[in-house]
Amino acid sequence: IHASASMNSSNDQKDGGQQHQLSKDQRLMCVAAVKYLMELKVELLAVDFDQTMVDIHTGGRWAGGSTRKLAAHVRPQLQCIL
C-alpha cells in the first residue's frame, strides 16, 4: 500500500495543526487499506512520525504543549488507518 500521494493533500496545515474531515472517497480508501492489511494478516505497521504521521517536524521532541495539541497534527488519513 503506497499512501504518500494522498498524504500531501491540501488539507495539511503546517502551522495550524487543525483537524480536517476526510472526504467520502478518502474514508473508503482508508477502509479498503485496513481491510487489505487484515487480509494480508499484517501484524505490525511501522509509520514514520515527523512529517508523515504528523504534518510537522518535532525534531524528536514535542515542546509544543499538550498531547492534545500534538494530536491535532496527526494526518486524518493515518487517524483513519490507525
Side-chain angles (χ1 to χ4, degrees):
I1 299 172
H2 188 273
S4 64
S6 65
M7 297 309 238
N8 295 322
S9 70
S10 60
N11 288 342
D12 294 338
Q13 290 189 349
K14 298 299 177 195
D15 297 322
Q18 296 177 2
Q19 298 288 344
H20 294 282
Q21 296 291 328
L22 294 177
S23 70
K24 182 178 179 180
D25 288 341
Q26 288 172 319
R27 282 193 308 274
L28 291 173
M29 273 181 58
C30 287
V31 169
V34 170
K35 284 182 180 179
Y36 185 62
L37 291 170
M38 292 173 69
E39 287 173 13
L40 294 175
K41 300 183 191 269
V42 171
E43 294 183 13
L44 176 68
L45 179 65
V47 179
D48 180 61
F49 191 73
D50 283 1
Q51 295 182 324
T52 302
M53 183 174 207
V54 294
D55 62 3
I56 57 172
H57 182 57
T58 67
R61 296 188 173 163
W62 176 245
S66 70
T67 55
R68 186 177 302 261
K69 286 183 181 178
L70 177 59
H73 288 279
V74 176
R75 295 181 192 271
Q77 297 91 339
L78 286 172
Q79 285 180 349
C80 177
I81 290 172
L82 298 175

